[in-house]
Amino acid sequence: MKPRVSVHKFSSCDGCQLAFINAGPALLELAELVDIVHFAEAGPMDPDAPVDIAFVEGSISTQEEAVRIRRVRESARYLISIGACATAGGLQALRNFNAQGVDDWTRAIYARPEFIESLDTASAISDQVKVDLELWGCPVNAQQVFTAIRRLLFGALPFVDNEKVCQACKRRGIVCVLVTRGTPCLGPVTRTGCGALCPAFGRDCYGCFGPAENPNTAPLARRFQGLGLMPEDIARRFHFINSQAPGFLEEGRNWNQGTP
């Protein structure tokens, strides 16, 4: 009997699910190794089926999702959260900084806010249930996902790359935009996984793969200040896609509160 796999969507843009679908031939090879029993975007629908591996995309943003993620956890041997929304709340977690809560921003945006169902905050999956492995990225890439599956299938611990984007830049021979152009770049504190995509095109890293292991954010923030960024702009650099991630959250708060 082949291992059973499910893919669940919570509040997100679906970009990480597309990492599966865009894998093309690799997805067909995966289908030879496992039974994909739930993956609504690709076709199979059985959300409560017991599985060996459950992939979860998206943050917990509604009460219904807070209940549903517990059912997913109970039905899965391993639960793997994928992408910035599932690992750190994603862009929707920017509302966590609004002290007035959900009623404030829904009244400002929607003509009929009474139809909007939302919690005051958006949270990562690990804030709600036990997570066995987190795959960071916005979005994740197919190599991350399939490598994790194969290692679990063969009884090995999944490998998580904690190198910084700077190291990927150096291996590719990419000229540093921070040093040579004075562009505020989060590469020194961000985990790799994208292959230094943005610096390769001459722009700064904006941290979509989240904080690297032991990110030294304070000196980098002070460097941004030396480049002329105002405190609120420095805070925004850290409070973006992965605003709730440890390291980025605290550094952004320090500059927002004027106590760096």
Side-chain angles (χ1 to χ4, degrees):
M1 183 177 177
K2 293 191 289 189
R4 294 156 63 89
V5 171
S6 60
V7 182
H8 297 267
K9 170 186 164 57
F10 288 77
S11 290
S12 63
C13 71
D14 289 16
C16 292
Q17 293 184 79
L18 290 177
F20 279 89
I21 296 174
N22 289 341
L27 181 59
L28 296 178
E29 292 176 14
L30 177 66
E32 296 294 322
L33 299 174
V34 302
D35 280 331
I36 302 176
V37 299
H38 176 75
F39 189 179
E41 190 151 315
M45 291 278 289
D46 192 356
D48 295 323
V51 295
D52 296 286
I53 306 172
F55 288 94
V56 176
E57 176 201 61
S59 67
I60 302 303
S61 300
T62 69
Q63 186 58 43
E64 182 273 335
E65 290 178 337
V67 173
R68 181 158 55 94
I69 189 60
R70 285 166 173 71
R71 293 206 307 271
V72 173
R73 175 68 271 187
E74 290 169 0
S75 66
R77 181 181 178 194
Y78 297 112
L79 189 153
I80 301 177
S81 57
I82 56 173
C85 299
T87 53
L91 282 176
Q92 56 269 38
L94 293 176
R95 70 172 182 245
N96 297 5
F97 299 113
N98 186 344
Q100 305 305 315
V102 63
D103 290 340
D104 182 63
W105 62 265
T106 52
R107 282 199 306 271
I109 297 173
Y110 298 102
R112 300 293 300 274
E114 64 270 24
F115 292 121
I116 304 300
E117 179 195 349
S118 175
L119 297 172
D120 282 335
T121 59
S123 59
I125 300 302
S126 61
D127 291 337
Q128 302 286 328
V129 296
K130 177 179 179 289
V131 171
D132 299 295
L133 176 67
E134 292 181 321
L135 297 180
W136 294 71
C138 185
V140 294
N141 58 57
Q143 182 180 0
Q144 287 175 279
V145 174
F146 293 135
T147 298
I149 292 175
R150 285 182 178 277
R151 290 184 70 90
L152 285 174
L153 292 181
F154 289 103
L157 290 175
F159 171 76
V160 176
D161 193 345
N162 280 318
E163 283 191 349
K164 297 179 173 66
V165 171
C166 286
Q167 292 167 279
C169 272
K170 286 177 171 56
R171 276 196 297 271
R172 293 188 59 186
I174 298 170
V175 175
C176 179
V177 298
L178 176 62
V179 173
T180 63
R181 293 165 41 189
T183 303
C185 178
L186 286 175
V189 297
T190 299
R191 75 178 67 215
T192 188
C194 62
L197 183 62
C198 290
F201 286 92
R203 66 152 296 170
D204 50 301
C205 166
Y206 53 94
C208 62
F209 270 71
E213 189 174 25
N214 301 319
N216 199 5
T217 55
L220 182 65
R222 287 195 293 273
R223 178 64 184 133
F224 289 172
Q225 185 182 38
L227 293 171
L229 264 66
M230 300 299 290
E232 58 268 29
D233 295 325
I234 297 171
R236 289 193 195 99
R237 298 292 298 182
F238 292 99
H239 287 174
F240 189 37
I241 293 173
N242 286 293
S243 66
Q244 304 303 300
F248 285 9
L249 177 63
E250 294 81 4
E251 193 62 43
R253 276 179 174 164
N254 289 341
W255 289 87
N256 261 336
Q257 295 167 356
T259 56

